[in-house]
Amino acid sequence: MFGPVIRATNLFLIFKNSFLCLNVSSIMLQEAKCAYIIIIMAVYWCTEVIPLAVTSLMPVVFFPLLGVQSSKSVCLQYLNDTNMLFVGGLIVAISVEQWNLHKRIALRVLLILGVKPALLMLGFMIVTAFLSMWISNTATTAMMVPIVQAVLDQMDNTEYDVTMMEQATGQTNTVIELEEKNLICHDSLYDFPDDPRSSEEKKMRKRICKGMTLCVCYAASIGGTATLTGTGPNMVLKGQMNQLYPNNNDIVNFASWFGFAFPNMILMLILAWLWLQCSFMGLNFKKSWGCGTERTAKEKAAYNVLKAEMKKLGPISYAEFNVLLMFVLLVLLWFSRHPGFVKGWATRLFPEGEKYITDSAPAVFIALLLFILPANKPKFIGWNPNIKKPFLSAPLLDWNVVQRKMPWSIVLLLGGGFALADASANSGLSAWLGHQMTPLGSIPPWAIATVLSLIIAVFTECTSNVATATLFLPVFSSMIHPLYVMLPGTLSASFAFMLPVATPPNAIVFSYGHIRVLDMVRSGIVMNIIGVFCVTLAINTWGRPMFELDTFPTWANSTTNQ
């Protein structure tokens, strides 16, 4: 009913803003023109009057029209070094999904950890967080939730069977007693009063279902923060650091980000697990951990489900082994390119390699190998004209699969953000904002970072994580040491815990019907507080010496002066 009205309103807003751009092109300063486009894009990103990726293309049209930047300069930002790193990492992640390697890893870890309620939740969270470090949060959640659902269904069915057997046994005993006393009453033989324990057990089962499903989407969002390629906001930080501060000496690379964000992820994961345990299962260690007790029928059933799923996968295939090998090789290349404490392979093997080689090079190199290496073991057979089978099988990855699974909208969204950051720096908007915020210099840096983290954590509940990071990071980067606000701001952009619409993992979990919006809001508020607390702790402890946050860097000072 309201669809045509909304579409008409969207068209009106778009055309009105387009004509305004043409009218103000001659009366505004460069900084004001850039700010005007950023404000329009912010409104469009928040209201989604047109798709997010389409809004991201606006700089290509309006920056040249307003004379902010040339078309050539703007278009170069849409597939720069950071975006190529993102594309290469996603191609490797798609190959992991294609051959079900992520499912094999998940089931193996769950079988090792065990099926006691507390350990089962911990197992789900560890596996989800680990996989989200390397493949998309959405794909990880979509793969994990059916496994959680199967385990919970089997536990529920087993408990129902055990209850029915106990009731049948109780009924038999009752009949025997009545026969002995000659007080048999056929009408009331199976009429038993409601067992008060059954309603409590049902409530407890519902709470466990809520906790087990929520832990997956929360762990996916937390896990994505640990690696540079794990989620979109991390890539926004990397790209905007290169745009705003081109002489930053590659201070944010895969190894340095992992060293800072991985301990933060571990801390958040533990606190989130304790909160979900306390909120949905209670802190009954004997019941949850099963210290010194045997497995119940439910736990045996859950274990059997995991074993059955593992058995379906069969032994590890040649293709899975190759994908695992490529994955491990990529991680090693990322860590050893520029470790910081010793010379990396880029410097040792190639002249001036540290200057020319970035993290995108190994990512694209491994992606290329996935399109070359065979999916089946080559068969060495003698020449026979009757055998027409090729020597090499199909490759590990097919381009049609990549084209179907690649989130091209995120690539455009990142490109639009990098175009905004580049225009902000070149137009003088970033420098102007920095001068306007000089009165805030008297406020302690940790207070600025904490308030900014809270604002972004709330804002990201309503808008895209990538769009949130794109809007906030350039604005606050010129206040104090850029990384003092950009690092916690980037991590906070992933703290979308409160609403089903906040991020795709939340929506996937919500679609299974175990939780209500109120359940997610109640848990998410505490999760946001946990996240901001952990980020504030990280940036003020191990983050300080890692990124030398106590001294204003020369690379930021020279850029500001420009």
Side-chain angles (χ1 to χ4, degrees):
M1 177 180 176
F2 296 103
V5 177
I6 294 171
R7 283 194 294 272
T9 306
N10 294 348
L11 285 171
F12 171 73
L13 287 171
I14 292 164
F15 282 114
K16 184 193 77 171
N17 290 325
S18 301
F19 285 120
L20 277 174
C21 284
L22 297 175
N23 292 333
V24 303
S25 60
S26 59
I27 61 175
M28 279 188 177
L29 297 173
Q30 290 288 91
E31 300 96 317
K33 293 174 185 177
C34 183
Y36 179 70
I37 296 300
I38 290 175
I39 291 169
I40 290 176
M41 292 180 67
V43 172
Y44 282 13
W45 271 333
C46 294
T47 57
E48 296 190 40
V49 291
I50 53 178
L52 298 178
V54 179
T55 301
S56 304
L57 295 172
M58 290 177 67
V60 179
V61 179
F62 293 112
F63 280 161
L65 288 179
L66 294 177
V68 177
Q69 275 190 313
S70 67
S71 295
K72 184 178 180 181
S73 300
V74 176
C75 293
L76 283 174
Q77 308 306 321
Y78 281 81
L79 208 59
N80 59 15
D81 172 68
T82 307
N83 249 337
M84 289 307 298
L85 169 61
F86 186 62
V87 169
L90 282 175
I91 290 174
V92 176
I94 289 169
S95 70
V96 171
E97 291 178 47
Q98 176 73 6
W99 293 102
N100 264 339
L101 185 61
H102 59 323
K103 190 172 183 179
R104 185 180 295 277
I105 294 170
L107 292 171
R108 176 58 62 191
V109 173
L110 289 172
L111 286 171
I112 291 171
L113 285 175
V115 290
K116 297 291 182 185
L119 291 175
L120 193 61
M121 178 182 278
L122 181 62
F124 285 140
M125 294 183 75
I126 289 174
V127 170
T128 306
F130 174 76
L131 293 175
S132 289
M133 290 165 58
W134 314 106
I135 65 177
S136 76
N137 300 353
T138 306
T140 303
T141 308
M143 186 272 297
M144 286 298 296
V145 174
I147 295 176
V148 174
Q149 187 67 38
V151 170
L152 291 174
D153 287 346
Q154 190 59 46
M155 290 172 69
D156 192 36
N157 292 337
T158 305
E159 186 175 7
Y160 177 78
D161 293 340
V162 170
T163 305
M164 292 299 293
M165 288 175 63
E166 289 175 351
Q167 285 185 355
T169 306
Q171 290 168 7
T172 305
N173 293 337
T174 304
V175 170
I176 293 171
E177 290 174 5
L178 291 173
E179 283 180 344
E180 289 176 353
K181 297 180 180 181
N182 295 320
L183 294 172
I184 299 176
C185 179
H186 294 284
D187 293 333
S188 61
L189 182 62
Y190 297 101
D191 186 18
F192 287 92
D194 291 333
D195 185 359
R197 290 183 307 166
S198 60
S199 61
E200 287 297 321
E201 287 173 358
K202 285 179 182 178
K203 288 179 182 178
M204 188 61 188
R205 280 201 303 274
K206 284 183 179 179
R207 287 200 296 270
I208 289 175
C209 280
K210 289 176 182 179
M212 290 290 187
T213 50
L214 273 177
C215 79
V216 173
C217 63
Y218 288 168
S221 295
I222 294 169
T225 63
T227 57
L228 197 57
T229 56
T231 188
N234 303 356
M235 301 302 298
V236 171
L237 170 68
K238 171 68 174 171
Q240 292 198 353
M241 280 293 294
N242 293 340
Q243 296 296 333
L244 298 172
Y245 310 103
N247 301 318
N248 65 64
N249 302 321
D250 198 27
I251 190 170
V252 177
N253 56 39
F254 193 90
S256 65
W257 176 267
F258 187 84
F260 170 72
F262 183 73
N264 180 75
M265 184 209 77
I266 296 294
L267 180 60
M268 273 196 70
L269 208 63
I270 293 171
L271 293 178
W273 173 63
L274 290 173
W275 161 240
L276 291 174
Q277 277 284 307
C278 181
S279 180
F280 293 102
M281 299 183 186
L283 292 176
N284 186 336
F285 285 98
K286 185 175 181 182
K287 188 174 181 180
S288 297
W289 291 83
C291 303
T293 60
E294 294 184 2
R295 284 180 182 169
T296 64
K298 285 195 299 181
E299 291 162 359
K300 288 178 182 177
Y303 189 79
N304 290 334
V305 168
L306 296 175
K307 279 182 68 177
E309 289 293 320
M310 191 71 182
K311 192 174 181 181
K312 286 179 188 176
L313 294 176
I316 188 168
S317 65
Y318 180 79
E320 284 179 271
F321 180 77
N322 270 351
V323 170
L324 180 61
L325 193 65
M326 291 297 101
F327 172 73
V328 172
L329 178 60
L330 175 59
V331 174
L332 290 176
L333 288 173
W334 270 337
F335 274 111
S336 58
R337 180 186 68 84
H338 182 53
F341 53 91
V342 292
K343 286 185 177 181
W345 59 264
T347 306
R348 291 181 180 276
L349 300 180
F350 301 96
E352 298 186 0
E354 189 174 345
K355 179 181 177 182
Y356 291 106
I357 299 172
T358 64
D359 285 329
S360 61
V364 176
F365 171 67
I366 297 298
L368 290 173
L369 288 181
L370 291 169
F371 290 99
I372 299 170
L373 294 176
N376 297 313
K377 190 181 295 185
K379 294 182 180 179
F380 296 92
I381 52 176
W383 181 81
N384 189 338
N386 297 323
I387 298 177
K388 297 182 179 180
K389 290 183 179 180
F391 172 70
L392 290 176
S393 66
L396 289 168
L397 205 53
D398 181 67
W399 179 250
N400 291 328
V401 176
V402 174
Q403 192 171 0
R404 189 174 67 251
K405 292 188 174 183
M406 177 72 72
W408 298 108
S409 60
I410 302 297
V411 176
L412 289 176
L413 195 57
L414 287 172
F418 299 152
L420 290 183
D422 189 53
S424 297
N426 292 328
S427 67
L429 178 61
S430 295
W432 181 83
L433 287 170
H435 291 307
Q436 300 305 310
M437 293 180 180
T438 47
L440 297 176
S442 58
I443 301 174
W446 67 266
I448 296 175
T450 303
V451 172
L452 177 63
S453 299
L454 283 169
I455 293 171
I456 293 178
V458 172
F459 197 80
T460 197
E461 300 290 346
C462 309
T463 59
S464 159
N465 300 357
V466 177
T468 302
T470 302
L471 291 173
F472 278 92
L473 294 189
V475 174
F476 293 98
S477 63
S478 52
M479 294 172 62
I480 47 178
H481 190 301
L483 289 177
Y484 209 121
V485 289
M486 292 178 84
L487 287 172
T490 300
L491 290 171
S492 299
S494 295
F495 297 162
F497 299 125
M498 288 173 57
L499 296 173
V501 296
T503 188
N506 292 10
I508 291 171
V509 165
F510 185 77
S511 67
Y512 275 75
H514 292 303
I515 55 177
R516 300 171 299 164
V517 174
L518 192 59
D519 296 322
M520 192 170 279
V521 170
R522 285 172 179 167
S523 300
I525 289 173
V526 179
M527 287 297 302
N528 277 343
I529 294 170
I530 289 172
V532 172
F533 166 76
C534 291
V535 168
T536 304
L537 180 67
I539 200 70
N540 289 291
T541 51
W542 64 87
R544 279 179 179 270
M546 279 188 67
F547 298 104
E548 299 178 353
L549 299 179
D550 291 321
T551 56
F552 196 83
T554 54
W555 48 261
N557 198 28
S558 61
T559 306
T560 306
N561 291 338
Q562 290 175 2

